[in-house]
PDB file of all heavy atoms in Angstrom:
ATOM      1  N   ALA A 178      14.335-117.744 248.877  1.00  0.00           N
ATOM      2  CA  ALA A 178      13.156-116.960 248.491  1.00  0.00           C
ATOM      3  C   ALA A 178      12.638-116.119 249.654  1.00  0.00           C
ATOM      4  O   ALA A 178      12.028-115.067 249.438  1.00  0.00           O
ATOM      5  CB  ALA A 178      12.054-117.891 247.987  1.00  0.00           C
ATOM      6  N   LEU A 179      12.878-116.568 250.878  1.00  0.00           N
ATOM      7  CA  LEU A 179      12.403-115.825 252.047  1.00  0.00           C
ATOM      8  C   LEU A 179      13.068-114.466 252.173  1.00  0.00           C
ATOM      9  O   LEU A 179      12.499-113.543 252.765  1.00  0.00           O
ATOM     10  CB  LEU A 179      12.654-116.632 253.327  1.00  0.00           C
ATOM     11  CG  LEU A 179      11.816-117.900 253.527  1.00  0.00           C
ATOM     12  CD1 LEU A 179      12.302-118.661 254.743  1.00  0.00           C
ATOM     13  CD2 LEU A 179      10.334-117.544 253.661  1.00  0.00           C
ATOM     14  N   TYR A 180      14.293-114.347 251.660  1.00  0.00           N
ATOM     15  CA  TYR A 180      14.996-113.065 251.807  1.00  0.00           C
ATOM     16  C   TYR A 180      15.588-112.563 250.489  1.00  0.00           C
ATOM     17  O   TYR A 180      16.495-111.738 250.473  1.00  0.00           O
ATOM     18  CB  TYR A 180      16.097-113.170 252.866  1.00  0.00           C
ATOM     19  CG  TYR A 180      17.062-114.318 252.736  1.00  0.00           C
ATOM     20  CD1 TYR A 180      18.075-114.315 251.785  1.00  0.00           C
ATOM     21  CD2 TYR A 180      16.985-115.408 253.597  1.00  0.00           C
ATOM     22  CE1 TYR A 180      18.975-115.368 251.681  1.00  0.00           C
ATOM     23  CE2 TYR A 180      17.880-116.465 253.509  1.00  0.00           C
ATOM     24  CZ  TYR A 180      18.874-116.430 252.556  1.00  0.00           C
ATOM     25  OH  TYR A 180      19.775-117.478 252.460  1.00  0.00           O
ATOM     26  N   ALA A 181      15.062-113.034 249.370  1.00  0.00           N
ATOM     27  CA  ALA A 181      15.533-112.540 248.073  1.00  0.00           C
ATOM     28  C   ALA A 181      15.240-111.044 247.942  1.00  0.00           C
ATOM     29  O   ALA A 181      14.335-110.511 248.578  1.00  0.00           O
ATOM     30  CB  ALA A 181      14.849-113.305 246.942  1.00  0.00           C
ATOM     31  N   GLN A 182      16.015-110.392 247.107  1.00  0.00           N
ATOM     32  CA  GLN A 182      15.844-108.954 246.912  1.00  0.00           C
ATOM     33  C   GLN A 182      14.443-108.622 246.416  1.00  0.00           C
ATOM     34  O   GLN A 182      13.860-107.601 246.791  1.00  0.00           O
ATOM     35  CB  GLN A 182      16.897-108.445 245.925  1.00  0.00           C
ATOM     36  CG  GLN A 182      16.949-106.934 245.801  1.00  0.00           C
ATOM     37  CD  GLN A 182      18.094-106.479 244.915  1.00  0.00           C
ATOM     38  OE1 GLN A 182      18.592-107.249 244.088  1.00  0.00           O
ATOM     39  NE2 GLN A 182      18.529-105.242 245.087  1.00  0.00           N
ATOM     40  N   ASP A 183      13.874-109.489 245.584  1.00  0.00           N
ATOM     41  CA  ASP A 183      12.541-109.259 245.034  1.00  0.00           C
ATOM     42  C   ASP A 183      11.495-110.167 245.677  1.00  0.00           C
ATOM     43  O   ASP A 183      10.499-110.535 245.069  1.00  0.00           O
ATOM     44  CB  ASP A 183      12.544-109.445 243.518  1.00  0.00           C
ATOM     45  CG  ASP A 183      13.172-110.779 243.091  1.00  0.00           C
ATOM     46  OD1 ASP A 183      13.711-111.490 243.965  1.00  0.00           O
ATOM     47  OD2 ASP A 183      13.145-111.091 241.888  1.00  0.00           O
ATOM     48  N   ARG A 184      11.695-110.502 246.939  1.00  0.00           N
ATOM     49  CA  ARG A 184      10.743-111.357 247.650  1.00  0.00           C
ATOM     50  C   ARG A 184       9.391-110.663 247.748  1.00  0.00           C
ATOM     51  O   ARG A 184       9.272-109.442 247.643  1.00  0.00           O
ATOM     52  CB  ARG A 184      11.270-111.685 249.051  1.00  0.00           C
ATOM     53  CG  ARG A 184      11.397-110.482 249.979  1.00  0.00           C
ATOM     54  CD  ARG A 184      12.100-110.886 251.266  1.00  0.00           C
ATOM     55  NE  ARG A 184      12.289-109.782 252.193  1.00  0.00           N
ATOM     56  CZ  ARG A 184      13.316-108.941 252.154  1.00  0.00           C
ATOM     57  NH1 ARG A 184      14.237-109.059 251.210  1.00  0.00           N
ATOM     58  NH2 ARG A 184      13.435-107.975 253.048  1.00  0.00           N
ATOM     59  N   ASN A 185       8.376-111.492 247.967  1.00  0.00           N
ATOM     60  CA  ASN A 185       7.033-110.950 248.162  1.00  0.00           C
ATOM     61  C   ASN A 185       6.261-111.897 249.070  1.00  0.00           C
ATOM     62  O   ASN A 185       6.664-113.056 249.251  1.00  0.00           O
ATOM     63  CB  ASN A 185       6.329-110.732 246.814  1.00  0.00           C
ATOM     64  CG  ASN A 185       6.113-112.023 246.055  1.00  0.00           C
ATOM     65  OD1 ASN A 185       5.293-112.854 246.444  1.00  0.00           O
ATOM     66  ND2 ASN A 185       6.864-112.225 244.975  1.00  0.00           N
ATOM     67  N   PRO A 186       5.178-111.448 249.671  1.00  0.00           N
ATOM     68  CA  PRO A 186       4.486-112.287 250.667  1.00  0.00           C
ATOM     69  C   PRO A 186       3.882-113.555 250.095  1.00  0.00           C
ATOM     70  O   PRO A 186       3.733-114.542 250.823  1.00  0.00           O
ATOM     71  CB  PRO A 186       3.408-111.349 251.240  1.00  0.00           C
ATOM     72  CG  PRO A 186       3.277-110.239 250.262  1.00  0.00           C
ATOM     73  CD  PRO A 186       4.601-110.082 249.619  1.00  0.00           C
ATOM     74  N   ILE A 187       3.526-113.561 248.812  1.00  0.00           N
ATOM     75  CA  ILE A 187       2.956-114.774 248.221  1.00  0.00           C
ATOM     76  C   ILE A 187       4.021-115.867 248.163  1.00  0.00           C
ATOM     77  O   ILE A 187       3.782-117.022 248.548  1.00  0.00           O
ATOM     78  CB  ILE A 187       2.407-114.480 246.806  1.00  0.00           C
ATOM     79  CG1 ILE A 187       1.436-113.303 246.834  1.00  0.00           C
ATOM     80  CG2 ILE A 187       1.751-115.726 246.236  1.00  0.00           C
ATOM     81  CD1 ILE A 187       0.287-113.456 247.788  1.00  0.00           C
ATOM     82  N   MET A 188       5.213-115.492 247.688  1.00  0.00           N
ATOM     83  CA  MET A 188       6.290-116.475 247.614  1.00  0.00           C
ATOM     84  C   MET A 188       6.747-116.916 248.998  1.00  0.00           C
ATOM     85  O   MET A 188       7.127-118.071 249.193  1.00  0.00           O
ATOM     86  CB  MET A 188       7.470-115.897 246.828  1.00  0.00           C
ATOM     87  CG  MET A 188       7.277-115.884 245.329  1.00  0.00           C
ATOM     88  SD  MET A 188       7.050-117.551 244.638  1.00  0.00           S
ATOM     89  CE  MET A 188       5.286-117.532 244.316  1.00  0.00           C
ATOM     90  N   SER A 189       6.703-116.000 249.965  1.00  0.00           N
ATOM     91  CA  SER A 189       7.092-116.390 251.325  1.00  0.00           C
ATOM     92  C   SER A 189       6.147-117.449 251.885  1.00  0.00           C
ATOM     93  O   SER A 189       6.585-118.395 252.555  1.00  0.00           O
ATOM     94  CB  SER A 189       7.114-115.157 252.236  1.00  0.00           C
ATOM     95  OG  SER A 189       8.132-114.264 251.835  1.00  0.00           O
ATOM     96  N   LEU A 190       4.850-117.314 251.602  1.00  0.00           N
ATOM     97  CA  LEU A 190       3.888-118.335 252.034  1.00  0.00           C
ATOM     98  C   LEU A 190       4.209-119.685 251.399  1.00  0.00           C
ATOM     99  O   LEU A 190       4.201-120.728 252.069  1.00  0.00           O
ATOM    100  CB  LEU A 190       2.466-117.900 251.661  1.00  0.00           C
ATOM    101  CG  LEU A 190       1.840-116.765 252.461  1.00  0.00           C
ATOM    102  CD1 LEU A 190       0.541-116.317 251.819  1.00  0.00           C
ATOM    103  CD2 LEU A 190       1.608-117.189 253.904  1.00  0.00           C
ATOM    104  N   MET A 191       4.460-119.672 250.090  1.00  0.00           N
ATOM    105  CA  MET A 191       4.789-120.907 249.387  1.00  0.00           C
ATOM    106  C   MET A 191       6.104-121.497 249.893  1.00  0.00           C
ATOM    107  O   MET A 191       6.236-122.714 250.038  1.00  0.00           O
ATOM    108  CB  MET A 191       4.865-120.650 247.888  1.00  0.00           C
ATOM    109  CG  MET A 191       3.525-120.343 247.243  1.00  0.00           C
ATOM    110  SD  MET A 191       3.673-120.260 245.449  1.00  0.00           S
ATOM    111  CE  MET A 191       1.971-119.925 244.984  1.00  0.00           C
ATOM    112  N   ALA A 192       7.074-120.623 250.156  1.00  0.00           N
ATOM    113  CA  ALA A 192       8.380-121.091 250.624  1.00  0.00           C
ATOM    114  C   ALA A 192       8.256-121.812 251.961  1.00  0.00           C
ATOM    115  O   ALA A 192       8.790-122.918 252.144  1.00  0.00           O
ATOM    116  CB  ALA A 192       9.340-119.908 250.737  1.00  0.00           C
ATOM    117  N   LEU A 193       7.556-121.204 252.894  1.00  0.00           N
ATOM    118  CA  LEU A 193       7.417-121.819 254.216  1.00  0.00           C
ATOM    119  C   LEU A 193       6.604-123.111 254.147  1.00  0.00           C
ATOM    120  O   LEU A 193       6.915-124.093 254.843  1.00  0.00           O
ATOM    121  CB  LEU A 193       6.776-120.830 255.188  1.00  0.00           C
ATOM    122  CG  LEU A 193       7.658-119.624 255.545  1.00  0.00           C
ATOM    123  CD1 LEU A 193       6.865-118.591 256.334  1.00  0.00           C
ATOM    124  CD2 LEU A 193       8.890-120.073 256.337  1.00  0.00           C
ATOM    125  N   GLU A 194       5.574-123.140 253.299  1.00  0.00           N
ATOM    126  CA  GLU A 194       4.797-124.371 253.128  1.00  0.00           C
ATOM    127  C   GLU A 194       5.657-125.473 252.515  1.00  0.00           C
ATOM    128  O   GLU A 194       5.597-126.641 252.935  1.00  0.00           O
ATOM    129  CB  GLU A 194       3.579-124.089 252.252  1.00  0.00           C
ATOM    130  CG  GLU A 194       2.765-125.319 251.852  1.00  0.00           C
ATOM    131  CD  GLU A 194       2.013-125.973 252.994  1.00  0.00           C
ATOM    132  OE1 GLU A 194       2.109-125.483 254.145  1.00  0.00           O
ATOM    133  OE2 GLU A 194       1.319-126.970 252.744  1.00  0.00           O
ATOM    134  N   GLY A 195       6.480-125.107 251.522  1.00  0.00           N
ATOM    135  CA  GLY A 195       7.366-126.094 250.910  1.00  0.00           C
ATOM    136  C   GLY A 195       8.384-126.636 251.890  1.00  0.00           C
ATOM    137  O   GLY A 195       8.666-127.842 251.923  1.00  0.00           O
ATOM    138  N   ILE A 196       8.959-125.756 252.700  1.00  0.00           N
ATOM    139  CA  ILE A 196       9.945-126.182 253.702  1.00  0.00           C
ATOM    140  C   ILE A 196       9.292-127.101 254.724  1.00  0.00           C
ATOM    141  O   ILE A 196       9.858-128.137 255.102  1.00  0.00           O
ATOM    142  CB  ILE A 196      10.570-124.948 254.385  1.00  0.00           C
ATOM    143  CG1 ILE A 196      11.424-124.169 253.379  1.00  0.00           C
ATOM    144  CG2 ILE A 196      11.414-125.370 255.587  1.00  0.00           C
ATOM    145  CD1 ILE A 196      11.808-122.783 253.846  1.00  0.00           C
ATOM    146  N   ARG A 197       8.097-126.733 255.180  1.00  0.00           N
ATOM    147  CA  ARG A 197       7.404-127.592 256.155  1.00  0.00           C
ATOM    148  C   ARG A 197       7.142-128.978 255.581  1.00  0.00           C
ATOM    149  O   ARG A 197       7.349-129.996 256.262  1.00  0.00           O
ATOM    150  CB  ARG A 197       6.075-126.939 256.571  1.00  0.00           C
ATOM    151  CG  ARG A 197       6.193-125.866 257.624  1.00  0.00           C
ATOM    152  CD  ARG A 197       4.833-125.479 258.179  1.00  0.00           C
ATOM    153  NE  ARG A 197       4.021-124.816 257.177  1.00  0.00           N
ATOM    154  CZ  ARG A 197       3.972-123.495 256.988  1.00  0.00           C
ATOM    155  NH1 ARG A 197       4.705-122.692 257.739  1.00  0.00           N
ATOM    156  NH2 ARG A 197       3.187-122.978 256.065  1.00  0.00           N
ATOM    157  N   ALA A 198       6.675-129.030 254.338  1.00  0.00           N
ATOM    158  CA  ALA A 198       6.372-130.320 253.718  1.00  0.00           C
ATOM    159  C   ALA A 198       7.629-131.173 253.599  1.00  0.00           C
ATOM    160  O   ALA A 198       7.604-132.383 253.899  1.00  0.00           O
ATOM    161  CB  ALA A 198       5.750-130.101 252.337  1.00  0.00           C
ATOM    162  N   MET A 199       8.718-130.569 253.178  1.00  0.00           N
ATOM    163  CA  MET A 199       9.976-131.308 253.028  1.00  0.00           C
ATOM    164  C   MET A 199      10.524-131.768 254.381  1.00  0.00           C
ATOM    165  O   MET A 199      10.939-132.926 254.540  1.00  0.00           O
ATOM    166  CB  MET A 199      11.025-130.436 252.335  1.00  0.00           C
ATOM    167  CG  MET A 199      10.964-130.475 250.844  1.00  0.00           C
ATOM    168  SD  MET A 199      11.368-132.133 250.224  1.00  0.00           S
ATOM    169  CE  MET A 199      11.341-131.804 248.477  1.00  0.00           C
ATOM    170  N   ALA A 200      10.548-130.863 255.338  1.00  0.00           N
ATOM    171  CA  ALA A 200      11.096-131.207 256.654  1.00  0.00           C
ATOM    172  C   ALA A 200      10.274-132.313 257.319  1.00  0.00           C
ATOM    173  O   ALA A 200      10.808-133.140 258.070  1.00  0.00           O
ATOM    174  CB  ALA A 200      11.126-129.971 257.541  1.00  0.00           C
ATOM    175  N   ARG A 201       8.975-132.338 257.030  1.00  0.00           N
ATOM    176  CA  ARG A 201       8.096-133.384 257.560  1.00  0.00           C
ATOM    177  C   ARG A 201       8.338-134.718 256.850  1.00  0.00           C
ATOM    178  O   ARG A 201       8.325-135.785 257.473  1.00  0.00           O
ATOM    179  CB  ARG A 201       6.648-132.933 257.366  1.00  0.00           C
ATOM    180  CG  ARG A 201       5.586-133.885 257.842  1.00  0.00           C
ATOM    181  CD  ARG A 201       4.206-133.230 257.764  1.00  0.00           C
ATOM    182  NE  ARG A 201       3.783-132.941 256.393  1.00  0.00           N
ATOM    183  CZ  ARG A 201       3.494-131.724 255.944  1.00  0.00           C
ATOM    184  NH1 ARG A 201       3.589-130.666 256.722  1.00  0.00           N
ATOM    185  NH2 ARG A 201       3.094-131.553 254.682  1.00  0.00           N
ATOM    186  N   ALA A 202       8.589-134.661 255.553  1.00  0.00           N
ATOM    187  CA  ALA A 202       8.641-135.883 254.755  1.00  0.00           C
ATOM    188  C   ALA A 202       9.985-136.595 254.796  1.00  0.00           C
ATOM    189  O   ALA A 202      10.039-137.831 254.845  1.00  0.00           O
ATOM    190  CB  ALA A 202       8.295-135.553 253.302  1.00  0.00           C
ATOM    191  N   LEU A 203      11.078-135.843 254.737  1.00  0.00           N
ATOM    192  CA  LEU A 203      12.382-136.488 254.519  1.00  0.00           C
ATOM    193  C   LEU A 203      12.777-137.484 255.615  1.00  0.00           C
ATOM    194  O   LEU A 203      13.240-138.588 255.292  1.00  0.00           O
ATOM    195  CB  LEU A 203      13.465-135.417 254.341  1.00  0.00           C
ATOM    196  CG  LEU A 203      13.323-134.547 253.083  1.00  0.00           C
ATOM    197  CD1 LEU A 203      14.455-133.528 253.028  1.00  0.00           C
ATOM    198  CD2 LEU A 203      13.314-135.411 251.822  1.00  0.00           C
ATOM    199  N   PRO A 204      12.633-137.153 256.900  1.00  0.00           N
ATOM    200  CA  PRO A 204      12.984-138.162 257.913  1.00  0.00           C
ATOM    201  C   PRO A 204      12.135-139.427 257.811  1.00  0.00           C
ATOM    202  O   PRO A 204      12.614-140.535 258.103  1.00  0.00           O
ATOM    203  CB  PRO A 204      12.749-137.433 259.236  1.00  0.00           C
ATOM    204  CG  PRO A 204      12.883-135.982 258.902  1.00  0.00           C
ATOM    205  CD  PRO A 204      12.294-135.866 257.527  1.00  0.00           C
ATOM    206  N   VAL A 205      10.863-139.296 257.402  1.00  0.00           N
ATOM    207  CA  VAL A 205      10.001-140.472 257.239  1.00  0.00           C
ATOM    208  C   VAL A 205      10.498-141.334 256.090  1.00  0.00           C
ATOM    209  O   VAL A 205      10.528-142.572 256.181  1.00  0.00           O
ATOM    210  CB  VAL A 205       8.543-140.037 257.002  1.00  0.00           C
ATOM    211  CG1 VAL A 205       7.648-141.259 256.738  1.00  0.00           C
ATOM    212  CG2 VAL A 205       8.013-139.241 258.187  1.00  0.00           C
ATOM    213  N   ILE A 206      10.910-140.692 254.996  1.00  0.00           N
ATOM    214  CA  ILE A 206      11.401-141.431 253.835  1.00  0.00           C
ATOM    215  C   ILE A 206      12.642-142.244 254.190  1.00  0.00           C
ATOM    216  O   ILE A 206      12.823-143.365 253.702  1.00  0.00           O
ATOM    217  CB  ILE A 206      11.672-140.463 252.670  1.00  0.00           C
ATOM    218  CG1 ILE A 206      10.347-139.928 252.123  1.00  0.00           C
ATOM    219  CG2 ILE A 206      12.478-141.129 251.560  1.00  0.00           C
ATOM    220  CD1 ILE A 206      10.498-138.805 251.124  1.00  0.00           C
ATOM    221  N   VAL A 207      13.491-141.696 255.052  1.00  0.00           N
ATOM    222  CA  VAL A 207      14.686-142.426 255.483  1.00  0.00           C
ATOM    223  C   VAL A 207      14.288-143.732 256.173  1.00  0.00           C
ATOM    224  O   VAL A 207      14.893-144.787 255.951  1.00  0.00           O
ATOM    225  CB  VAL A 207      15.543-141.564 256.425  1.00  0.00           C
ATOM    226  CG1 VAL A 207      16.652-142.386 257.072  1.00  0.00           C
ATOM    227  CG2 VAL A 207      16.147-140.392 255.658  1.00  0.00           C
TER     228      VAL A 207
END
Side-chain angles (χ1 to χ4, degrees):
L179 291 173
Y180 51 76
Q182 189 175 22
D183 51 353
R184 65 188 179 274
N185 63 70
I187 307 304
M188 283 299 105
S189 294
L190 288 171
M191 291 187 179
L193 292 171
E194 173 69 0
I196 293 166
R197 279 192 293 268
M199 274 295 185
R201 180 172 66 240
L203 294 180
V205 176
I206 290 171
V207 170

